[in-house]
Amino acid sequence: MIKSIVCAFVVLISLQTKAQNNYELETNYMNCMCSLFDDNGTELKALVKKAEQSLITAEVLESTNGKSYISLYKNIRTSIDGRVANFGISDYVVNTLMDSKNVKKYSICMDSILKNPNFKDSKLSKFIALSTSGNNPKITDLTSKMLEVFEAKDFEHDFYKYLTFSLIDKFNAANKK
């Protein structure tokens, strides 16, 4: 009896771990975003790559690996201190979402992600909870909490890179005001 309970527990843990490590939800989100654009996200992906190279050139990001992103998050102030320009990623996405057909398409995609059984315990869920709790958190507070959730390997996925540059764009825009 105890052996079967232990086996069931191990299987449950491994299923949750698999769901967390396969980036299914993050991939679905990026596919959803890319589907909103006439070019299927080619320009969005190019903007993300350009932003990444811009931070490397400005010596704010050491390289494209996950450890460099963790360092960036730990020293996030360097990316919003005027050293780097707005990447335009947030504006690009917002302008696309202004089209009502895209809003509906995005809403349907997000609904399917939110209803996914893996969403509740996902990093995406934790990020949404962090970013929507409280009014206008300081970027250092937000990234500090994000580092409790994210790992270096996460930044090998396009979603986490997109998230990083969107976050920097939003805080840079807020600092200009």
Side-chain angles (χ1 to χ4, degrees), residues 41-101:
T42 301
E43 178 68 19
L44 177 63
K45 291 174 185 176
L47 285 170
V48 169
K49 287 276 185 215
K50 184 178 175 185
E52 189 174 54
Q53 288 306 310
S54 174
L55 287 184
I56 291 170
T57 300
E59 298 180 351
V60 173
L61 185 66
E62 185 178 314
S63 70
T64 61
N65 70 35
K67 288 181 182 177
S68 293
Y69 277 85
I70 295 295
S71 293
L72 171 65
Y73 273 63
K74 288 179 180 176
N75 300 301
I76 196 69
R77 286 195 178 281
T78 59
S79 65
I80 60 165
D81 65 1
R83 225 179 282 202
V84 294
N86 188 313
F87 304 119
I89 294 170
S90 291
D91 292 339
Y92 184 68
V93 170
V94 168
N95 287 338
T96 299
L97 284 172
M98 292 180 103
D99 182 341
S100 61
K101 73 176 171 79

Side-chain angles (χ1 to χ4, degrees), residues 11-52:
V11 168
L12 181 64
I13 295 295
S14 66
L15 287 175
Q16 281 190 325
T17 303
K18 181 181 180 226
Q20 190 60 41
N21 289 331
N22 72 9
Y23 299 103
E24 171 194 1
L25 297 172
E26 292 87 343
T27 299
N28 289 348
Y29 181 87
M30 288 307 293
N31 288 342
C32 179
M33 286 302 299
C34 290
S35 74
L36 300 177
F37 301 99
D38 293 335
D39 65 359
N40 222 14
T42 301
E43 178 68 19
L44 177 63
K45 291 174 185 176
L47 285 170
V48 169
K49 287 276 185 215
K50 184 178 175 185
E52 189 174 54

